[in-house]
Amino acid sequence: MKGQMMHYPLTTNTIIEYGNRVFAHKEIVTKLPDGTRHCYTFQDMYVRTKKLANALVNQLNIHPGDKVATFAWNHYQHLELYYAIPGVAAVCHPLNIRLSHEQVEYIVNHAEDKVIFIDATLVPFFEKIVPLVDQVQHFVIINAPQHFKTTLPNAIDYEELIANESSDFNWVQVDENDACAMCYTSGTTGAPKGVLYSHRSIYLHAQIVLSPNAGNISTFDKVLMVVPQFHVFAWGLPFVCMMAGADMIMPSSHLQPVSLVEILDKEKVTFATGVPTIWMGIYQELKKNPPKEKLLLRDYMVGGSAMPQSLVEGFEKDFGITGFTAWGMTETSPLGTVSRLQKMHSSLSQEERYKTMVKQGIEMPGVEIRIVKEDGTIAPKDGETVGEIQIRGAWVISSYYKMEDNSAYFSNDGWFKTGDVATMDANGYLHITDRIKDLIKSGGEWISSVALELALMAHPSISEACVIAIPDDRWQERPLACVVMKEGETISAEILKAFLLKDFAPYQVPDQFISIAQIPKTSVGKFDKKELRRMYTADGL
Ligand code: ADP
């Protein structure tokens, strides 16, 4: 028997219509690449988005199902594109601006992008590869200064494109399961792969990100989007804020800790997101130059890699700011789990509270997670048994874009195999120990690189640590620790070994420690283990 409720498609069109109807006065503030502050309302954005939709159809010949890419920082025009492109039933494809020329060229060709909207400051990058992406029909330049010149073919200025268009546009009708947007994985562990999201998956994911057990975002919030829009749609926040009526603060290229702290302070930000390296930078900057008044930041959401416990503690003790961890992937839109404390945690010691806060947390409603052991059986929820995280749910990938054989990525019963290794405790808190590819196999025993890194980063003389496997004749692999010392500090390998031996078995402790000036980072700010392995294993130590 069928239910008797209306069929109301969950689309991004309904999100922007809602934002304009209910929160027309809410603001979007951008610190533009040239440093100027731009501020307008949801209603202003709505009007311009409709003009842009007209331009996509009338001037750029965009049809349903076409892929339209962006190559841009986080700013208001990028938000307009997020809604206008799906609004004409095309697919919005934010390209990662930090990838190499080869990777971007590969992705643009693989996705078959028809038009690319590009920031003027990023144009020189594309001029180098333009002969190799010849199916792109137009380049639209955003925030171009006067007299801007480019060799990109068919280049049009964004403002000129929309200037004479009407703001009257009927969104193209789509099914909620139609493609809405796409992202490629950032290739931390292999070649980039395309993930094609539906209107429905974007909508349902956004509702969960704003819910109390996750972001707890409401009309009282001012949300700073540090996570790039090309990194899984800034973790869904452009859709979340429109639904929640939260003001959006866009930093564009101003991502250095000093600029971020200034924005947090001046714009009275209450909620922000970022990978751990961003929060490390912000913490150090706050310590060096504390703002005159206490920040209004009530919460920060950290994800993308494991957050050092010492940092969560530091933020809370030194600045009264609490953070929480979220886990997810490009393939999961991204939010899968969140680690917030619950009432049952109120009796825990301070130390146990922090330990829980840096776990990856509990499943969000709409997804299911299981831990599968190497022998294929499901691990018990004992907080000890390790296995691979498998996930299924309403915003989880069902197959990669244009990949014929997906069998390596899915279990026989259809769950997505994440490649992350974790335990789950009796309360359902997930705790990631590593990625399968980063685990170190020494003499038949597994060593967690993440556990060693977090322990090393808790040492008062160390600011960053990254552990990789290096080949070893006797043990097959051994851990190598690369550490970045805090300014003016030095420390011997012997002391570090003794420090680790307090928590680790002797076979787990690295034999070699290398002090380096900085750890290479991936395009989304994570420690780049692929690059470290290239540096230290190919050359042989
Ligand atoms: P890429 O796979 O290219 O790095 P993603 O952003 O999709 O790009 O990364 C997803 C991966 O990031 C996860 O599979 C996991 O290994 C890691 N990750 C995400 N969130 C966390 C977290 N809170 N703690 C530890 N690792 C995380």
Short mmCIF file of all heavy atoms in Angstrom, two decimals, residues 28 30 32-33 38 40 45 48-49 52 70 72-85 117 119 141-144 158-159 162 229 250 252:
data_model
loop_
_atom_site.label_atom_id
_atom_site.label_comp_id
_atom_site.label_asym_id
_atom_site.label_seq_id
_atom_site.Cartn_x
_atom_site.Cartn_y
_atom_site.Cartn_z
N ILE A 28 25.47 37.43 2.61
CA ILE A 28 26.63 36.68 2.12
C ILE A 28 27.77 37.69 2.00
O ILE A 28 27.66 38.67 1.26
CB ILE A 28 26.34 36.03 0.75
CG1 ILE A 28 25.19 35.02 0.90
CG2 ILE A 28 27.61 35.35 0.21
CD1 ILE A 28 24.59 34.57 -0.40
N THR A 30 31.80 38.38 1.22
CA THR A 30 33.00 37.80 0.60
C THR A 30 34.17 38.75 0.80
O THR A 30 34.05 39.95 0.56
CB THR A 30 32.82 37.60 -0.92
OG1 THR A 30 31.65 36.81 -1.14
CG2 THR A 30 34.02 36.90 -1.52
N LEU A 32 37.06 39.45 -1.15
CA LEU A 32 37.45 39.12 -2.52
C LEU A 32 38.98 38.98 -2.64
O LEU A 32 39.71 39.49 -1.79
CB LEU A 32 36.93 40.19 -3.48
CG LEU A 32 35.41 40.12 -3.69
CD1 LEU A 32 34.88 41.40 -4.31
CD2 LEU A 32 35.07 38.92 -4.57
N PRO A 33 39.45 38.29 -3.71
CA PRO A 33 40.90 38.12 -3.85
C PRO A 33 41.68 39.43 -3.75
O PRO A 33 42.78 39.46 -3.21
CB PRO A 33 41.05 37.49 -5.23
CG PRO A 33 39.77 36.72 -5.42
CD PRO A 33 38.71 37.53 -4.73
N HIS A 38 32.81 42.37 -0.04
CA HIS A 38 31.56 42.45 -0.79
C HIS A 38 30.46 41.85 0.08
O HIS A 38 30.64 40.79 0.68
CB HIS A 38 31.69 41.64 -2.10
CG HIS A 38 30.42 41.60 -2.89
ND1 HIS A 38 29.41 40.70 -2.64
CD2 HIS A 38 29.98 42.38 -3.91
CE1 HIS A 38 28.42 40.92 -3.47
NE2 HIS A 38 28.74 41.93 -4.26
N TYR A 40 26.16 41.13 0.16
CA TYR A 40 24.80 41.26 -0.39
C TYR A 40 23.89 40.24 0.30
O TYR A 40 24.35 39.45 1.12
CB TYR A 40 24.78 41.22 -1.91
CG TYR A 40 25.01 39.90 -2.64
CD1 TYR A 40 24.78 39.83 -4.02
CD2 TYR A 40 25.44 38.75 -2.00
CE1 TYR A 40 24.96 38.65 -4.74
CE2 TYR A 40 25.62 37.57 -2.72
CZ TYR A 40 25.38 37.52 -4.07
OH TYR A 40 25.56 36.37 -4.76
N MET A 45 21.34 37.57 -4.22
CA MET A 45 21.95 36.40 -4.85
C MET A 45 20.92 35.69 -5.75
O MET A 45 21.23 35.28 -6.86
CB MET A 45 22.45 35.44 -3.78
CG MET A 45 22.97 34.16 -4.38
SD MET A 45 23.23 32.90 -3.15
CE MET A 45 23.17 31.46 -4.17
N ARG A 48 20.48 37.49 -9.09
CA ARG A 48 21.62 37.30 -10.00
C ARG A 48 21.70 35.85 -10.48
O ARG A 48 22.12 35.58 -11.59
CB ARG A 48 22.92 37.72 -9.29
CG ARG A 48 23.11 39.22 -9.27
CD ARG A 48 24.30 39.63 -8.42
NE ARG A 48 25.52 38.94 -8.72
CZ ARG A 48 26.50 39.40 -9.52
NH1 ARG A 48 26.39 40.58 -10.09
NH2 ARG A 48 27.59 38.68 -9.71
N THR A 49 21.30 34.91 -9.64
CA THR A 49 21.36 33.50 -10.03
C THR A 49 20.39 33.23 -11.17
O THR A 49 20.68 32.48 -12.11
CB THR A 49 21.05 32.59 -8.81
OG1 THR A 49 22.01 32.90 -7.80
CG2 THR A 49 21.14 31.12 -9.16
N LEU A 52 21.90 34.55 -14.27
CA LEU A 52 22.95 33.62 -14.71
C LEU A 52 22.34 32.40 -15.40
O LEU A 52 22.85 31.91 -16.42
CB LEU A 52 23.80 33.22 -13.49
CG LEU A 52 24.88 32.19 -13.68
CD1 LEU A 52 25.91 32.63 -14.71
CD2 LEU A 52 25.62 31.93 -12.34
N THR A 70 33.69 24.87 -12.59
CA THR A 70 34.17 26.10 -11.97
C THR A 70 35.62 25.87 -11.58
O THR A 70 36.02 24.73 -11.29
CB THR A 70 33.37 26.46 -10.70
OG1 THR A 70 33.56 25.41 -9.74
CG2 THR A 70 31.89 26.61 -11.00
N ALA A 72 37.60 28.07 -9.10
CA ALA A 72 37.43 29.33 -8.38
C ALA A 72 37.59 29.16 -6.87
O ALA A 72 37.44 28.07 -6.32
CB ALA A 72 36.05 29.89 -8.67
N TRP A 73 37.90 30.29 -6.22
CA TRP A 73 37.93 30.36 -4.76
C TRP A 73 36.50 30.35 -4.23
O TRP A 73 35.55 30.38 -5.01
CB TRP A 73 38.62 31.66 -4.32
CG TRP A 73 40.02 31.81 -4.80
CD1 TRP A 73 40.46 32.62 -5.81
CD2 TRP A 73 41.19 31.16 -4.30
NE1 TRP A 73 41.81 32.51 -5.96
CE2 TRP A 73 42.30 31.62 -5.04
CE3 TRP A 73 41.41 30.22 -3.28
CZ2 TRP A 73 43.59 31.17 -4.81
CZ3 TRP A 73 42.70 29.78 -3.04
CH2 TRP A 73 43.77 30.25 -3.80
N ASN A 74 36.37 30.42 -2.90
CA ASN A 74 35.04 30.51 -2.30
C ASN A 74 34.57 31.96 -2.32
O ASN A 74 35.16 32.81 -1.63
CB ASN A 74 35.08 30.05 -0.83
CG ASN A 74 35.32 28.57 -0.68
OD1 ASN A 74 35.59 27.88 -1.65
ND2 ASN A 74 35.22 28.08 0.53
N HIS A 75 33.55 32.26 -3.10
CA HIS A 75 33.01 33.62 -3.11
C HIS A 75 31.57 33.61 -3.63
O HIS A 75 31.06 32.56 -4.02
CB HIS A 75 33.89 34.57 -3.90
CG HIS A 75 34.30 34.07 -5.26
ND1 HIS A 75 33.42 33.59 -6.18
CD2 HIS A 75 35.53 33.96 -5.83
CE1 HIS A 75 34.08 33.24 -7.27
NE2 HIS A 75 35.37 33.43 -7.08
N TYR A 76 30.95 34.82 -3.65
CA TYR A 76 29.52 34.85 -3.94
C TYR A 76 29.18 34.42 -5.35
O TYR A 76 28.17 33.76 -5.59
CB TYR A 76 28.92 36.24 -3.63
CG TYR A 76 29.40 37.38 -4.50
CD1 TYR A 76 28.64 37.82 -5.57
CD2 TYR A 76 30.59 38.04 -4.24
CE1 TYR A 76 29.05 38.88 -6.37
CE2 TYR A 76 31.02 39.08 -5.03
CZ TYR A 76 30.25 39.50 -6.11
OH TYR A 76 30.67 40.54 -6.89
N GLN A 77 30.06 34.73 -6.33
CA GLN A 77 29.73 34.29 -7.70
C GLN A 77 29.74 32.77 -7.78
O GLN A 77 28.96 32.17 -8.52
CB GLN A 77 30.74 34.86 -8.70
CG GLN A 77 30.73 36.38 -8.81
CD GLN A 77 31.85 37.00 -8.00
OE1 GLN A 77 32.29 36.44 -6.99
NE2 GLN A 77 32.32 38.15 -8.42
N HIS A 78 30.65 32.17 -7.01
CA HIS A 78 30.73 30.70 -7.00
C HIS A 78 29.45 30.10 -6.41
O HIS A 78 28.99 29.04 -6.84
CB HIS A 78 31.96 30.28 -6.18
CG HIS A 78 32.54 28.96 -6.59
ND1 HIS A 78 33.75 28.51 -6.13
CD2 HIS A 78 32.08 27.96 -7.39
CE1 HIS A 78 34.01 27.31 -6.64
NE2 HIS A 78 33.01 26.96 -7.39
N LEU A 79 28.85 30.81 -5.47
CA LEU A 79 27.57 30.35 -4.91
C LEU A 79 26.45 30.46 -5.95
O LEU A 79 25.60 29.58 -6.07
CB LEU A 79 27.18 31.17 -3.68
CG LEU A 79 28.06 30.98 -2.44
CD1 LEU A 79 27.67 32.00 -1.37
CD2 LEU A 79 27.91 29.57 -1.89
N GLU A 80 26.48 31.55 -6.71
CA GLU A 80 25.47 31.73 -7.76
C GLU A 80 25.55 30.56 -8.75
O GLU A 80 24.53 30.01 -9.18
CB GLU A 80 25.69 33.07 -8.49
CG GLU A 80 25.42 34.28 -7.58
CD GLU A 80 26.01 35.61 -8.08
OE1 GLU A 80 26.57 35.65 -9.19
OE2 GLU A 80 25.91 36.59 -7.33
N LEU A 81 26.78 30.16 -9.07
CA LEU A 81 26.97 29.04 -10.01
C LEU A 81 26.42 27.74 -9.43
O LEU A 81 25.87 26.90 -10.15
CB LEU A 81 28.46 28.90 -10.34
CG LEU A 81 28.97 30.00 -11.28
CD1 LEU A 81 30.48 30.17 -11.15
CD2 LEU A 81 28.59 29.66 -12.72
N TYR A 82 26.59 27.56 -8.11
CA TYR A 82 26.11 26.34 -7.45
C TYR A 82 24.61 26.12 -7.66
O TYR A 82 24.13 25.00 -7.64
CB TYR A 82 26.34 26.47 -5.94
CG TYR A 82 27.58 25.79 -5.41
CD1 TYR A 82 28.79 25.84 -6.09
CD2 TYR A 82 27.53 25.11 -4.21
CE1 TYR A 82 29.91 25.24 -5.57
CE2 TYR A 82 28.65 24.51 -3.69
CZ TYR A 82 29.83 24.58 -4.37
OH TYR A 82 30.95 23.98 -3.85
N TYR A 83 23.87 27.23 -7.78
CA TYR A 83 22.42 27.10 -7.92
C TYR A 83 21.96 27.26 -9.38
O TYR A 83 21.01 26.61 -9.80
CB TYR A 83 21.70 28.12 -7.03
CG TYR A 83 21.75 27.72 -5.56
CD1 TYR A 83 22.72 28.24 -4.71
CD2 TYR A 83 20.84 26.80 -5.04
CE1 TYR A 83 22.78 27.86 -3.37
CE2 TYR A 83 20.89 26.43 -3.70
CZ TYR A 83 21.87 26.96 -2.87
OH TYR A 83 21.91 26.58 -1.55
N ALA A 84 22.66 28.13 -10.14
CA ALA A 84 22.21 28.38 -11.52
C ALA A 84 22.44 27.15 -12.40
O ALA A 84 21.60 26.81 -13.23
CB ALA A 84 22.94 29.59 -12.10
N ILE A 85 23.57 26.48 -12.21
CA ILE A 85 23.89 25.35 -13.11
C ILE A 85 22.87 24.22 -12.92
O ILE A 85 22.22 23.79 -13.88
CB ILE A 85 25.36 24.89 -12.93
CG1 ILE A 85 26.33 26.04 -13.30
CG2 ILE A 85 25.65 23.65 -13.76
CD1 ILE A 85 27.78 25.83 -12.90
N PHE A 117 33.95 28.30 -15.68
CA PHE A 117 33.92 29.60 -15.02
C PHE A 117 35.18 29.69 -14.17
O PHE A 117 35.40 28.84 -13.29
CB PHE A 117 32.67 29.73 -14.14
CG PHE A 117 31.42 29.96 -14.93
CD1 PHE A 117 30.80 28.93 -15.61
CD2 PHE A 117 30.85 31.24 -14.99
CE1 PHE A 117 29.64 29.14 -16.35
CE2 PHE A 117 29.69 31.46 -15.72
CZ PHE A 117 29.09 30.43 -16.40
N ASP A 119 38.29 32.07 -12.04
CA ASP A 119 38.72 33.32 -11.42
C ASP A 119 39.86 33.93 -12.22
O ASP A 119 40.77 33.21 -12.64
CB ASP A 119 39.23 33.04 -9.99
CG ASP A 119 38.12 33.16 -8.98
OD1 ASP A 119 37.11 33.82 -9.26
OD2 ASP A 119 38.27 32.58 -7.89
N ILE A 141 35.23 34.56 -17.21
CA ILE A 141 36.22 35.06 -16.24
C ILE A 141 35.52 35.82 -15.11
O ILE A 141 34.76 36.77 -15.36
CB ILE A 141 37.24 36.02 -16.92
CG1 ILE A 141 37.68 35.48 -18.30
CG2 ILE A 141 38.42 36.28 -16.00
CD1 ILE A 141 38.51 34.26 -18.30
N ILE A 142 35.80 35.38 -13.89
CA ILE A 142 35.16 36.00 -12.71
C ILE A 142 36.14 36.98 -12.06
O ILE A 142 37.33 36.68 -11.94
CB ILE A 142 34.77 34.92 -11.68
CG1 ILE A 142 33.98 33.79 -12.36
CG2 ILE A 142 33.97 35.52 -10.53
CD1 ILE A 142 33.75 32.59 -11.46
N ASN A 143 35.61 38.11 -11.60
CA ASN A 143 36.41 39.12 -10.89
C ASN A 143 37.62 39.59 -11.69
O ASN A 143 38.73 39.72 -11.14
CB ASN A 143 36.86 38.58 -9.52
CG ASN A 143 35.70 38.51 -8.55
OD1 ASN A 143 34.82 39.36 -8.56
ND2 ASN A 143 35.66 37.47 -7.74
N ALA A 144 37.42 39.84 -12.97
CA ALA A 144 38.53 40.33 -13.79
C ALA A 144 38.74 41.82 -13.54
O ALA A 144 37.76 42.58 -13.49
CB ALA A 144 38.22 40.10 -15.26
N TYR A 158 32.30 37.60 -16.56
CA TYR A 158 31.12 37.12 -15.82
C TYR A 158 30.05 38.21 -15.69
O TYR A 158 28.87 37.98 -15.93
CB TYR A 158 31.58 36.67 -14.43
CG TYR A 158 30.52 36.02 -13.57
CD1 TYR A 158 30.26 34.67 -13.65
CD2 TYR A 158 29.79 36.77 -12.66
CE1 TYR A 158 29.30 34.07 -12.85
CE2 TYR A 158 28.82 36.18 -11.85
CZ TYR A 158 28.57 34.83 -11.96
OH TYR A 158 27.63 34.24 -11.17
N GLU A 159 30.48 39.41 -15.30
CA GLU A 159 29.49 40.47 -15.08
C GLU A 159 28.83 40.88 -16.39
O GLU A 159 27.64 41.15 -16.43
CB GLU A 159 30.15 41.68 -14.39
CG GLU A 159 30.64 41.39 -12.97
CD GLU A 159 29.54 40.86 -12.04
OE1 GLU A 159 28.38 41.27 -12.17
OE2 GLU A 159 29.86 40.01 -11.18
N ILE A 162 26.04 38.35 -17.43
CA ILE A 162 24.71 38.38 -16.81
C ILE A 162 24.03 39.75 -16.89
O ILE A 162 22.83 39.86 -16.64
CB ILE A 162 24.74 37.88 -15.34
CG1 ILE A 162 25.55 38.79 -14.43
CG2 ILE A 162 25.25 36.46 -15.26
CD1 ILE A 162 25.41 38.41 -12.95
N GLN A 229 35.15 25.27 -1.93
CA GLN A 229 33.93 24.81 -2.60
C GLN A 229 34.21 23.63 -3.52
O GLN A 229 33.31 22.88 -3.84
CB GLN A 229 33.28 25.97 -3.37
CG GLN A 229 32.60 26.97 -2.44
CD GLN A 229 31.87 28.07 -3.18
OE1 GLN A 229 32.31 29.21 -3.18
NE2 GLN A 229 30.76 27.77 -3.81
N MET A 250 32.61 34.17 3.07
CA MET A 250 33.45 33.50 2.08
C MET A 250 34.84 34.15 2.05
O MET A 250 34.95 35.34 1.76
CB MET A 250 32.81 33.60 0.69
CG MET A 250 31.31 33.39 0.64
SD MET A 250 30.80 31.75 1.18
CE MET A 250 31.33 30.75 -0.19
N SER A 252 37.49 33.63 0.00
CA SER A 252 38.21 33.51 -1.29
C SER A 252 39.65 33.06 -1.05
O SER A 252 39.85 32.02 -0.43
CB SER A 252 38.06 34.78 -2.13
OG SER A 252 38.89 35.82 -1.70
#
